[in-house]
Amino acid sequence: RLNDCMILFKKPIFTGFAPNLTKKDVLIAASFLFFPWQWFGLRIGENVVKAEQWLKNYFSVKHCFVFDSGRSSLYFILKSLDLKPDDEVLLQAYTCVVVANAIIHAGGKPIYADVGDDFNIDCADLEKKITPLTKILIIQHTFGKPAKLDLLLKLAQKYQLFIIEDCAHALGIKYENKWLGTFGDVGFFSFGSDKPISCGRGGGVITNDDSIAEKLFEFQSDLPAAKLGKILQHLFSFIIFRISKPLYNIGVGKWILWCCGKLKLINKIIYPEEKRGQAVKFFPSTMPNSIAAILLNQLTKLDEFNHHRCEISDIYQKQINNQKISLPNPENFCVPWLRYPILLAEPSRLLVLAKKNGIILGNWYNAPIAPNDADPSVVFYEQGSCPNAEKVAAQSVNLPTDISISQSDAIRVAKLLNTF
């Protein structure tokens, strides 16, 4: 009982729950919510153009476009390629349902390749899945670990595949001194709540292809503005999470989040419709000016965040010595893992134990097409078609690496895992 009481007053540790949240983000959100002179800039303003220019300069690319989300970014990339009904798009299993949804909504057919032990696409299985109908390859850099680009680029060239890099987990990471997102024909990013940087919800596309850029510009120009209610919901989320997270272990934070969820003051990461393969009626839309203001603040911290993730990941790699737990390969010390992925036989038992100790670990991905309550059949995934992805999904747990995790927090997590 004494131990339970002590846990109540320990710092809560989260893997999700707006992990990148900073004080300045909260101040920006509050200024748009509570200063009347800022209300005119909730939807429209110069911040979207500034964010696009920032990303163009950072990646040294010709074109950049931001949208309301990463999934919308992928959808518009695919729409710009004029997919025919039988056109196949290769992607890996051990991914999120919204990726497959974007393919289907754009008119293509998702074909799943298995993954290797690095959580990324398995090149041998990928080549087996290529047919004369295969047009596009989506290369996912899972948790920020670069995929086997040398082999994948050769395969894409051999079969004349258009390459889309899914960098939702991998913003600001280099492979052989070149930015991820610039190896393919086009790259896209997510700025959602649990991604490398976060403005609550958003996404971006970078490319040097003029014809693709022309179509993306047309799509973006024709989009409706975001619904005012959704903008307010995103902005309130920053304030609500800032207040509730420190109070989570004593129950007050849980109550605040539950109430705000019921009142729809905070946004959902994945909507029920998406889990059923359906479109969400209020997306896609443009990125609001107020949300882009938070994005700009987060972008200035990108390199700092990634450096911190490397430091925390290094602690886990060195401190965790439980033989029941499989760690990423030792040579990956320099990977700024978005979430540090481990594998073990009973992940649910570890999640429960950690929660009892005030630590909320992550479960990306707990199904080959995540989340596990999504319907894989609506996105054409056949059970047993990607056995290693299914095995890895059944064993996955991820540890937090974000800026709110101190070195002592990481050691506390490692100590808990060593007792498991």
Side-chain angles (χ1 to χ4, degrees):
R1 288 181 181 178
L2 178 61
N3 185 55
D4 290 344
C5 187
M6 290 174 63
I7 288 167
L8 288 177
F9 296 98
K10 274 190 174 182
K11 173 188 171 183
I13 295 177
F14 303 91
T15 305
F17 284 35
N20 305 319
L21 189 63
T22 70
K23 184 186 291 186
K24 190 170 181 182
D25 297 327
V26 177
L27 292 175
I28 293 169
S31 72
F32 279 103
L33 286 168
F34 304 123
F35 295 165
W37 57 89
Q38 289 273 55
W39 294 348
F40 299 102
L42 280 168
R43 281 198 180 104
I44 307 298
E46 60 185 7
N47 291 319
V48 168
V49 173
K50 285 182 176 179
E52 290 177 339
Q53 189 60 52
W54 193 99
L55 289 162
K56 276 201 293 187
N57 293 341
Y58 187 86
F59 290 102
S60 299
V61 293
K62 291 167 67 176
H63 308 286
C64 175
F65 303 91
V66 296
F67 296 95
D68 66 82
S69 62
R71 62 203 73 174
S72 292
S73 301
L74 174 58
Y75 169 75
F76 287 118
I77 293 168
L78 294 164
K79 285 288 285 183
S80 72
L81 298 174
D82 299 319
L83 290 173
K84 307 296 185 295
D86 290 332
D87 287 348
E88 295 176 349
V89 180
L90 281 165
L91 73 161
Q92 68 172 63
Y94 198 72
T95 192
C96 183
V97 68
V98 299
V99 179
N101 283 343
I103 296 169
I104 295 167
H105 296 165
K109 181 180 179 181
I111 303 295
Y112 300 94
D114 210 347
V115 296
D117 292 336
D118 63 349
F119 308 99
N120 286 325
I121 201 162
D122 179 84
C123 297
D125 189 63
L126 171 70
E127 189 164 17
K128 294 175 187 175
K129 304 289 174 68
I130 296 173
T131 75
L133 296 174
T134 308
K135 306 299 182 196
I136 299 167
L137 168 61
I138 298 177
I139 300 175
Q140 176 179 303
H141 304 295
T142 314
F143 301 125
K145 169 71 189 297
K148 293 182 173 66
L149 284 163
D150 296 341
L151 293 172
L152 291 168
L153 293 173
K154 286 178 183 176
L155 280 174
Q157 185 177 32
K158 178 180 176 181
Y159 294 100
Q160 298 182 305
L161 304 179
F162 186 92
I163 301 174
I164 300 172
E165 279 187 83
D166 178 350
C167 300
H169 296 183
L171 180 60
I173 298 176
K174 284 188 172 180
Y175 175 76
E176 295 184 352
N177 209 34
K178 184 176 178 180
W179 295 114
L180 296 183
T182 63
F183 285 87
D185 298 284
V186 62
F188 76 94
F189 307 94
S190 172
F191 312 130
S193 61
D194 289 354
K195 297 305 194 297
I197 61 168
S198 174
C199 54
R201 183 170 173 120
V205 180
I206 57 171
T207 185
N208 287 314
D209 188 313
D210 293 335
S211 63
I212 297 294
E214 184 178 350
K215 292 178 182 178
L216 289 171
F217 177 76
E218 290 175 6
F219 291 136
Q220 187 191 53
S221 300
D222 290 339
L223 280 173
K227 301 284 188 186
L228 180 60
K230 300 310 295 182
I231 299 173
L232 297 177
Q233 192 180 62
H234 293 317
L235 293 174
F236 271 116
S237 292
F238 287 93
I239 298 170
I240 292 163
F241 276 102
R242 182 73 176 187
I243 294 168
S244 61
K245 285 178 71 172
L247 304 172
Y248 192 84
N249 281 352
I250 61 173
V252 176
K254 295 178 188 177
W255 181 82
I256 292 172
L257 288 172
W258 182 85
C259 288
C260 290
K262 288 292 184 183
L263 294 171
K264 297 185 178 179
L265 291 176
I266 52 178
N267 55 296
K268 294 181 182 292
I269 294 175
I270 298 180
Y271 288 87
E273 298 95 322
E274 294 176 301
K275 297 175 186 179
R276 300 190 296 268
Q278 300 167 358
V280 180
K281 62 182 178 181
F282 39 79
F283 295 118
S285 69
T286 57
M287 176 179 281
N289 178 64
S290 52
I291 300 302
I294 297 171
L295 173 60
L296 280 166
N297 178 55
Q298 287 268 317
L299 285 169
T300 63
K301 298 174 171 59
L302 174 59
D303 294 337
E304 174 192 350
F305 285 4
N306 280 342
H307 178 73
H308 180 81
R309 286 188 172 97
C310 283
E311 290 183 339
I312 298 301
S313 298
D314 189 45
I315 291 172
Y316 291 142
Q317 193 78 37
K318 291 176 178 176
Q319 296 279 337
I320 298 170
N321 54 31
N322 188 333
Q323 297 302 309
K324 300 176 190 174
I325 296 172
S326 174
L327 306 181
N329 293 332
E331 67 265 27
N332 293 341
F333 282 167
C334 62
V335 173
W337 295 101
L338 174 62
R339 296 179 169 199
Y340 186 84
I342 62 172
L343 300 175
L344 67 161
E346 297 178 277
S348 58
R349 197 160 68 85
L350 175 60
L351 293 172
V352 170
L353 173 66
K355 191 170 184 179
K356 286 180 180 177
N357 284 271
I359 301 169
I360 312 296
L361 299 179
N363 61 353
W364 288 2
Y365 289 114
N366 56 6
I369 309 300
N372 63 359
D373 59 346
D375 183 354
S377 66
V378 300
V379 291
F380 307 112
Y381 180 78
E382 294 182 11
Q383 205 68 23
S385 62
C386 297
N388 202 51
E390 293 171 17
K391 175 187 171 186
V392 169
Q395 299 177 349
S396 291
V397 171
N398 9 101
L399 316 182
T401 60
D402 60 85
I403 198 68
S404 70
I405 303 301
S406 67
Q407 293 188 7
S408 60
D409 292 334
I411 291 169
R412 180 179 152 198
V413 173
K415 285 181 176 178
L416 176 76
L417 266 62
N418 288 336
T419 65
F420 178 68

